[in-house]
Amino acid sequence: MIFSRRLLDPLLAWAGQAPVVGVSGGADSVGLLRALLLVGARPVVAHFDHALRPDSARDAEWVAALAHDFGLPFETLRVEVAAVARKRGWNLEDAARRLRYDFLTRTARQHASIGILSAHTRRDHAETVLMRLLRGEAVLSGILPQYGRVYRPWLDISRAEIEALLLELGQGWREDPTNADPAYTRAWLRSEVMPVLTARVPRLEENLARVGRYSQQDDEVLEALAARTGRHTPLAGQPTALLRRWVRSQLIAAGLAYHATHLDEVAQALAQQKTLHLTLPGGHHLTVTGGSLYWQARKWPQPDFDFPGEWTARTRQPGDRIRLPGGARKVSDVLGEARLPREERDRVPLLVAPGGVQWIGLTPPVWAVGAREQVSAPPDPTDQAMQEALRLARLAAVEHEVPVGAVVVDPTGRVVGRGHNTSRRDGDMTRHAELAALREAAACLGTPYLTGCTLAVTLEPCPMCLGACLEARIGRIVFGASNPKAGALGGVSDLLGFHWGHRPEVTGGVRAGEAARLLRETFQGLR
């Protein structure tokens, strides 16, 4: 007998192998089993009894007899799927799928099988696409040809082709009456909806399967683009399709449940730089603010130093103020500028003296003027480096240069490179502070590579200086004020949204107020 190559060719890779095959007793799974035997495979027959019908045990007996007739290993398991679904709050069809694949996976492990074969066909594929369309899902990918160790080699095969094979072999099969019960969504589509649509569009099954295949291919490209989103990638302005997929990956990684509408809301809030508060299934709270996602309380650093006895450790209260170099500020304004979710602002630790707030436990911490000198806190290397960079920036201002200063410190905190803008003096617009500091550091350390070192600069690096940092393999970049005129290529966040081989850690906003004020005052004086 000559059998259809369309059915057998997808199975040739399993010749001589012993995959686990899920066999319900229906035509599709029985046809797959017989076709595997024809190509020389040695399948393990696995039957999962969902216990949804009083006579379901007869299906298990029938499949067991079929496996015995061909001398094949046989495994079965009966589970009260309806009871499990009620207990766990699952949809019945979803519970059946989860429990069935769990059984197949354990069976494959038990028999050391290299894969699991499922007899899903083009009809199943088309029905799944239509179900996802009716649910309004973003991706109409249908059934994947492979998911983990599960393979579905017959997704392009019609039911008619399988029945023709079984008739040619003289092989019978079992019909499950629940497949015609409209109480189940898939059965309703199969028995009542698809026939009506097919009467008008004869190639409906093939068309829906094609839509699923194209959608899957498109989604693979978009998923790959979304996966490139790193910690420096600016989310504002990104295409909504990428943001939606990125949000989904973040929620899945955090083990949080969600609905499709949640993905849309969060993606739009990120793209538009809006603040959004959501409650996800299970009562989990999600906040979008400042272009970032927050879904759990952050752990804030507590004071790790001794402080005067009259100081009090607490969280914020109405009217709290802190005296900064630019003048007294409301603590609520400082926390708001840090773009913290509102519920997080009440958890940030403070140290408060009778004269006002002395310390705010942000990262890096915010100190009131003169407060650090009153405590035994160890010096903050980052703050010290920025303090020296600010000194150099003031020197540049005195010399009528753009007031930007930069230092490079080694892993021990020792300053190994200093620089400030000298473009006007040297008549060279490339004489930036960062480049001078990097050159001096390379000469001091005797190597062009500054891995492990930190560059502290008062203004966000321009694309030219960032490129030099990447070439030098600088370990960390700390900057003060943001650079709204970084050029056509954008700022640090824009550029580090792409992969350049080296990805330094970046911290912005360190003593940003002082750096920005120095720039503003200098340019006002020039005008």
Side-chain angles (χ1 to χ4, degrees), residues 491-514:
V492 170
S493 296
D494 301 295
L495 292 171
L496 290 182
F498 299 91
H499 293 278
W500 302 103
H502 175 68
R503 299 181 72 96
E505 180 185 346
V506 178
T507 303
V510 178
R511 303 185 77 153
E514 295 174 72

Side-chain angles (χ1 to χ4, degrees), residues 121-185:
T121 64
R122 189 172 68 195
R123 181 177 70 177
D124 301 309
H125 190 37
E127 291 167 354
T128 301
V129 171
L130 186 55
M131 287 175 66
R132 292 190 171 184
L133 176 63
L134 295 177
R135 288 198 295 257
E137 294 191 16
V139 180
L140 306 178
S141 57
I143 301 175
L144 297 176
Q146 179 183 350
Y147 184 77
R149 299 176 63 190
V150 178
Y151 299 84
R152 303 176 179 105
W154 275 2
L155 282 183
D156 196 37
I157 301 300
S158 68
R159 174 63 179 257
E161 292 175 280
I162 297 173
E163 290 186 0
L165 170 66
L166 293 173
L167 290 173
E168 193 169 0
L169 292 172
Q171 174 66 61
W173 64 85
R174 303 272 294 179
E175 290 290 354
D176 184 348
T178 60
N179 287 336
D181 184 352
Y184 299 101
T185 303

Side-chain angles (χ1 to χ4, degrees), residues 408-411 416 441 445 449-455 473-477:
V408 174
V409 296
D410 68 10
V416 293
L445 298 177
Y449 298 116
L450 305 178
T451 305
C453 293
T454 296
L455 169 74
R473 304 292 192 269
I474 198 81
R476 184 179 180 217
I477 299 174

Side-chain angles (χ1 to χ4, degrees), residues 434-493:
E434 300 96 307
L435 299 183
L438 292 171
R439 281 194 294 267
E440 186 174 300
C444 176
L445 298 177
T447 174
Y449 298 116
L450 305 178
T451 305
C453 293
T454 296
L455 169 74
V457 58
T458 57
L459 180 65
E460 179 181 2
C462 68
M464 177 182 68
C465 293
L466 178 60
C469 290
L470 297 179
E471 285 291 329
R473 304 292 192 269
I474 198 81
R476 184 179 180 217
I477 299 174
V478 177
F479 67 86
S482 296
N483 188 353
K485 298 182 179 180
L489 296 178
V492 170
S493 296

Side-chain angles (χ1 to χ4, degrees), residues 53-179:
R53 295 182 286 108
D55 61 343
S56 63
R58 295 183 183 176
D59 291 343
E61 294 171 358
W62 189 89
V63 175
L66 179 66
H68 180 269
D69 290 344
F70 290 98
L72 301 174
F74 175 72
E75 300 289 345
T76 187
L77 177 67
R78 178 183 174 87
V79 176
E80 299 283 347
V81 170
V84 174
R86 285 193 301 270
K87 182 179 179 180
R88 300 189 182 181
W90 292 346
N91 170 279
L92 184 61
E93 294 171 75
D94 183 46
R97 180 185 57 80
R98 293 191 190 197
L99 295 170
R100 181 171 63 252
Y101 280 110
D102 180 66
F103 161 66
L104 293 173
T105 299
R106 285 187 283 110
T107 300
R109 190 179 303 118
Q110 177 184 345
H111 288 267
S113 297
I114 62 173
I116 300 166
L117 296 187
S118 178
H120 286 95
T121 64
R122 189 172 68 195
R123 181 177 70 177
D124 301 309
H125 190 37
E127 291 167 354
T128 301
V129 171
L130 186 55
M131 287 175 66
R132 292 190 171 184
L133 176 63
L134 295 177
R135 288 198 295 257
E137 294 191 16
V139 180
L140 306 178
S141 57
I143 301 175
L144 297 176
Q146 179 183 350
Y147 184 77
R149 299 176 63 190
V150 178
Y151 299 84
R152 303 176 179 105
W154 275 2
L155 282 183
D156 196 37
I157 301 300
S158 68
R159 174 63 179 257
E161 292 175 280
I162 297 173
E163 290 186 0
L165 170 66
L166 293 173
L167 290 173
E168 193 169 0
L169 292 172
Q171 174 66 61
W173 64 85
R174 303 272 294 179
E175 290 290 354
D176 184 348
T178 60
N179 287 336

Side-chain angles (χ1 to χ4, degrees), residues 10 19 39 97 119 209 248 250 270 282 294 296 312 328 353 371 416 422 498 509:
V39 299
R97 180 185 57 80
R248 181 178 61 189
Q250 299 300 300
L270 288 170
Y294 302 92
Q296 60 186 1
T312 303
V416 293
T422 59
F498 299 91

